[in-house]
Amino acid sequence: MDRITLPQIEEAINYWRKREPSQGEESRLCPQAAALAAPYALMIIGHRADMGAEELPLAALAAYQAWQASLG
């Protein structure tokens, strides 16, 4: 599978945040952005520039692929 970079995950999170803004007093992320936020944080903590698509949890992979599809 393809390698997914940290900036790509960040772009995907921003896409979902723009499409479905945070909700409630706690500024809860939409499910897609939330699914991508965990691997994004792990990449930052682990000082990783990229990761294999197969490493993403299914919900994060689905959100990432939907973002990719929106790019045309």
Side-chain angles (χ1 to χ4, degrees), residues 9-64:
I9 290 184
E10 185 173 6
E11 286 181 42
I13 290 169
N14 289 335
Y15 166 81
W16 288 109
R17 289 186 68 209
K18 188 178 284 186
R19 188 173 163 120
E20 296 183 37
S22 298
Q23 300 174 1
E25 287 184 26
E26 70 280 3
S27 295
R28 181 179 62 250
L29 293 172
C30 69
Q32 297 88 342
L36 290 163
Y40 179 75
L42 291 173
M43 287 177 74
I44 290 172
I45 292 168
H47 303 285
R48 295 182 65 181
D50 62 16
M51 70 177 359
E54 70 280 358
E55 296 179 66
L56 289 176
L58 291 178
L61 182 59
Y64 178 81

